[in-house]
Amino acid sequence: MKPSNFKYQLLFICSIGLFSATFAQNQPTSLKEAFKNDFLVGTALGAEHILEKDAKANQLIKKEFNAITPENHMKSMNIHPEWNKYDFYLGDKFVEYGQKNNMYVVGHTLVWHSQLPRFVGKIKSADSLKLFMTDHINTVAGRYAGKINSWDVVNEAIEDDGTFRKSIFYNLLGEDFIKMAFDLAAKADPKAELYYNDYNNEQPAKRKATIEMIKKLKASGTKIDGVGIQGHWSINSLNTKNIEDAIIEYAALGLKVAFTELDLTVLPNPWDLKGADVNQNFENSPKMNPYPKELPDSVQTTLAQKYEELFKVFLKHQDKIDRITFWGVADNHSWLNGWPVRGRTNYPLLFDRNFEPKKAYNSVMNLKKNNPNL
Ligand code: XIL
């Protein structure tokens, strides 16, 4: 080879190297960075995360996410175990964690029929229930006023068929309990964004009823800022048409839309169960738990495709979406290992049991890497 040729070749190789290095440098390296112009990307934290027990989990949470939701410890059963007793230990630590790490902090949840303290189950009169709600919301939302960015004020008040859920709140107070909860929350923490949160509320009948309920609330002067669509879905029945319609219709009410508890189960659901009614539970069996050791490649790929499909819809409507929160940090911690069948091994999130990114993580990240303008 002539020396001059060699010089050009070297120059060419160096330029390619420099180009790839610059390109790589401009590539996002975390979910929160990739979607920074689109929406917040959050995760649900358990006590072990808040107390920073596991270095790997802790590192992952801080690197990837910019929003946090308490998975259980702000539910009334835990934060308000008895009439005159509150337990703020984990709630305080959770809020501190969010502030320390510059994260958007979500409160979950003020009024919900599940995970209620035992004493509430014994309430028989409307007045006593009102007293509980008032004291609960004033105390909890009041304590964290100015520190919580948004509250899931009411969780799951509507059934799949569009009727009101016959919860203790509805049975004793009628649908007014929803207005009451939002008004109390607005007073206790005027700065927080107030959300109505539910599962299956992307589906037509429930969506229609939710929209009617929200219109009424707004017409009565109640402050409501957003709708949370939980997003507990399955790789076998993901319906992006419903999801897209829901985003458009909720946003048309002038509300923010958030996906608040996203996960995609990969396990069988032969009982035709949809949604996330936490009170449902079924027998475990080898048929129900087909991947106890590892997820086959083919299912890993389907999971990645479904997440990609979903995030394409999210990106298309990023102007209407405030936040996408995953219900858990990594597969080991997902509630779907225990619900609706106890003791299964599920793989619904973007990070595996070693806190490593899965194919699904790459498929979601690639949407931004290959199309920075998407
Ligand atoms: C779940 C938690 O993840 C579990 O740890 C707990 O045992 C039951 O509740 N809808 C909600 C969440 O709003 O609070 C639920 O979280 C999942 C369904």
Side-chain angles (χ1 to χ4, degrees):
M1 190 191 303
K2 282 207 287 194
S4 62
N5 255 354
F6 176 71
K7 228 165 63 193
Y8 282 122
Q9 267 188 0
L10 197 68
L11 198 67
F12 181 68
I13 290 167
C14 286
S15 321
I16 292 198
L18 201 66
F19 177 76
S20 343
T22 320
F23 189 67
Q25 248 177 29
N26 291 334
Q27 295 295 312
T29 55
S30 67
L31 292 166
K32 69 176 177 194
E33 196 196 330
F35 298 102
K36 66 176 188 292
N37 297 325
D38 306 306
F39 31 70
L40 296 161
V41 186
T43 185
L45 301 186
E48 70 269 40
H49 304 125
I50 296 159
L51 300 174
E52 305 188 51
K53 297 265 186 218
D54 184 309
K56 260 181 150 179
N58 199 24
Q59 208 181 7
L60 180 78
I61 296 164
K62 291 178 186 173
K63 174 173 177 261
E64 298 287 343
F65 302 104
N66 50 17
I68 51 171
T69 305
E71 186 175 359
N72 284 304
H73 58 268
M74 279 187 168
K75 292 172 180 171
S76 56
M77 176 179 108
N78 296 323
I79 208 164
H80 189 177
E82 288 166 39
W83 262 115
N84 293 314
K85 198 176 146 212
Y86 284 87
D87 180 352
F88 292 118
Y89 177 70
L90 282 172
D92 289 1
K93 291 261 175 219
F94 165 77
V95 169
E96 256 171 53
Y97 185 95
Q99 288 188 321
K100 196 171 73 182
N101 295 300
N102 245 329
M103 290 162 160
Y104 182 95
V105 180
V106 180
H108 176 81
T109 169
L110 291 171
V111 177
W112 188 28
H113 65 280
S114 281
Q115 293 181 276
L116 277 171
R118 212 179 292 258
F119 74 87
V120 174
K122 295 186 187 147
I123 293 177
K124 294 282 177 282
S125 76
D127 280 349
S128 298
L129 193 61
K130 271 190 193 164
L131 200 66
F132 161 72
M133 277 179 63
T134 309
D135 180 54
H136 182 77
I137 296 176
N138 284 346
T139 309
V140 178
R143 182 177 184 92
Y144 299 115
K147 297 179 180 167
I148 292 266
N149 297 90
S150 83
W151 267 109
D152 292 338
V153 178
V154 173
N155 201 26
E156 305 175 355
I158 296 174
E159 297 278 8
D160 286 355
D161 64 3
T163 59
F164 281 103
R165 181 187 293 280
K166 307 299 174 291
S167 67
I168 183 169
F169 300 103
Y170 182 83
N171 290 341
L172 289 178
L173 303 171
E175 65 173 286
D176 278 356
F177 87 87
I178 302 172
K179 178 174 171 57
M180 189 184 153
F182 274 89
D183 289 345
L184 282 166
K187 224 167 147 199
D189 187 353
K191 286 207 183 119
E193 297 185 324
L194 305 183
Y195 273 69
Y196 174 75
N197 193 50
D198 214 329
Y199 61 83
N200 287 355
N201 52 348
E202 74 282 359
Q203 292 177 24
K206 195 154 174 172
R207 189 199 314 154
K208 189 162 169 271
T210 306
I211 289 172
E212 267 167 39
M213 188 258 295
I214 291 170
K215 279 186 174 165
K216 262 201 208 165
L217 277 182
K218 291 192 108 181
S220 73
T222 287
K223 171 177 142 82
I224 171 167
D225 303 291
V227 179
I229 298 173
Q230 291 184 5
H232 295 294
W233 294 311
S234 163
I235 58 165
N236 300 313
S237 58
L238 186 69
N239 183 329
T240 44
K241 161 89 173 77
N242 278 345
I243 296 168
E244 185 162 11
D245 288 349
I247 298 171
I248 293 168
E249 289 179 24
Y250 289 135
L253 299 173
L255 296 179
K256 296 182 172 175
V257 178
F259 290 85
T260 52
E261 307 183 12
L262 180 59
D263 47 25
L264 295 182
T265 182
V266 302
L267 297 184
N269 249 358
W271 48 83
D272 196 28
L273 174 80
K274 280 205 190 109
D277 182 344
V278 295
N279 299 311
Q280 283 171 312
N281 226 288
F282 297 82
E283 278 289 293
N284 197 354
S285 72
K287 209 174 125 217
M288 288 290 98
N289 191 25
Y291 321 121
K293 295 254 156 9
E294 61 176 344
L295 192 63
D297 262 357
S298 60
V299 190
Q300 196 79 261
T301 303
T302 308
L303 181 72
Q305 283 163 350
K306 293 293 164 182
Y307 265 115
E308 181 178 337
E309 209 181 299
L310 199 51
F311 269 74
K312 277 187 177 158
V313 175
F314 294 159
L315 284 172
K316 182 170 168 199
H317 295 288
Q318 52 79 20
D319 58 323
K320 309 172 190 69
I321 299 175
D322 228 48
R323 171 170 56 94
I324 310 289
T325 289
F326 291 88
W327 204 240
V329 176
D331 285 343
N332 59 331
H333 176 77
S334 164
W335 76 304
L336 293 175
N337 295 310
W339 181 92
V341 179
R342 286 203 187 95
R344 296 201 295 180
T345 310
N346 211 333
Y347 305 80
L349 299 168
L350 299 189
F351 298 96
D352 69 16
R353 286 172 163 72
N354 294 316
F355 302 100
E356 296 297 334
K358 293 157 62 177
K359 208 173 196 174
Y361 176 87
N362 297 331
S363 72
V364 161
M365 289 292 283
N366 280 339
L367 287 174
K368 294 304 283 195
K369 285 188 177 166
N370 300 333
N371 305 292
N373 299 320
L374 194 83

